[in-house]
């Protein structure tokens, strides 16, 4: 194991049979550099598999009511603005991989359903709580509204469709 910042640190070139990452690039402002480094690290014929989310599918089951659905969407938008993630990167990953000269490029996405009072809900409750101050700092959420939103994750009747996790694979050409 080694500590490595894919945006800043160089990577050996042409040495790896397989590069796989998941849920990394959408966090990074230097994602093109990072993706280019991953491709350069592959041997000729080596395989790249990158999985990145696209949150276009992340909506609540409407049976919990319009207010909950709207709040869920608003929190996604405001949180991504507050922390600087690109929540629509999944749809652009395919073209980015093609543009790096990869061959046999394929892309397929899948989405999981989420529900309150599950480990998945706890993950999201903790994740949003960790960036609460930054979300409130946008001025688009009051503390009360944030509490109402967070309480959704403790409600077993709150169900949502998750982000599409887009998996794009390709091979580095031989020579
Ligand atoms: C949302 S987590 C995903 C963890 C895991 N890959 C998964 O899918 O469950 C984001 C990961 O990106 C890594 N990461 C963020 N910025 C990075 C950078 N500049 N260079 C390398 N890794 C980075 C973090 O260390 C963290 O492991």
């Amino acid at each position: 194991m080694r500590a490595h910042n894919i945006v800043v640190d160089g990577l050996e070139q042409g040495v790896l049979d397989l590069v796989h990452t998941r849920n990394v690039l959408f966090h990074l402002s230097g994602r093109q550099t990072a993706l280019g480094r991953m491709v350069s690290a592959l041997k000729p014929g080596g395989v790249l598999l990158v999985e990145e989310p696209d949150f276009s599918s992340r909506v609540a089951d409407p049976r919990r009511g319009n207010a909950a659905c709207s709040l869920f969407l608003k929190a996604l938008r405001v949180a991504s603005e507050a922390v600087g993630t690109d929540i629509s990167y999944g749809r652009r990953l395919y073209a980015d991989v093609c543009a790096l000269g990869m061959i046999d490029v394929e892309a397929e996405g899948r989405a999981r359903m989420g529900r309150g009072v599950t480990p998945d809900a706890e993950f999201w409750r903790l994740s949003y709580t960790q960036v609460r101050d930054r979300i409130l700092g946008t001025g688009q959420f009051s503390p009360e509204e944030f509490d109402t939103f967070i309480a959704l994750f403790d409600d077993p009747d709150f169900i949502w469709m998750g982000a599409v996790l887009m998996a794009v694979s390709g091979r580095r050409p031989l020579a």
Side-chain angles (χ1 to χ4, degrees), residues 59-139:
V59 289
D61 181 327
R63 80 191 68 194
R64 183 61 178 68
N66 287 341
C69 290
S70 300
L71 196 52
F72 194 62
L73 271 181
K74 180 180 170 184
L76 172 63
R77 178 180 56 76
V78 174
S80 70
E81 281 172 29
V83 303
T85 51
D86 182 345
I87 56 174
S88 61
Y89 186 57
R91 78 194 68 171
R92 297 203 307 281
L93 179 59
Y94 176 79
D96 280 358
V97 171
C98 290
L100 286 167
M102 299 295 278
I103 58 170
D104 300 335
V105 181
E106 293 187 19
E108 184 176 325
R110 68 188 162 81
R112 281 161 44 87
M113 296 300 293
R115 181 172 201 165
V117 203
T118 61
D120 205 18
E122 179 68 355
F123 167 83
W124 286 108
R125 195 177 63 73
L126 291 171
S127 297
Y128 279 108
T129 301
Q130 198 171 29
V131 293
R132 176 182 182 275
D133 291 348
R134 289 157 81 179
I135 291 173
L136 297 189
T138 65

Side-chain angles (χ1 to χ4, degrees), residues 4-8 21-28 123:
H4 184 266
N5 183 333
I6 189 69
V7 179
V8 176
T21 65
R22 187 181 73 173
N23 291 331
V24 174
L25 296 177
F26 83 113
H27 288 293
L28 307 178
F123 167 83

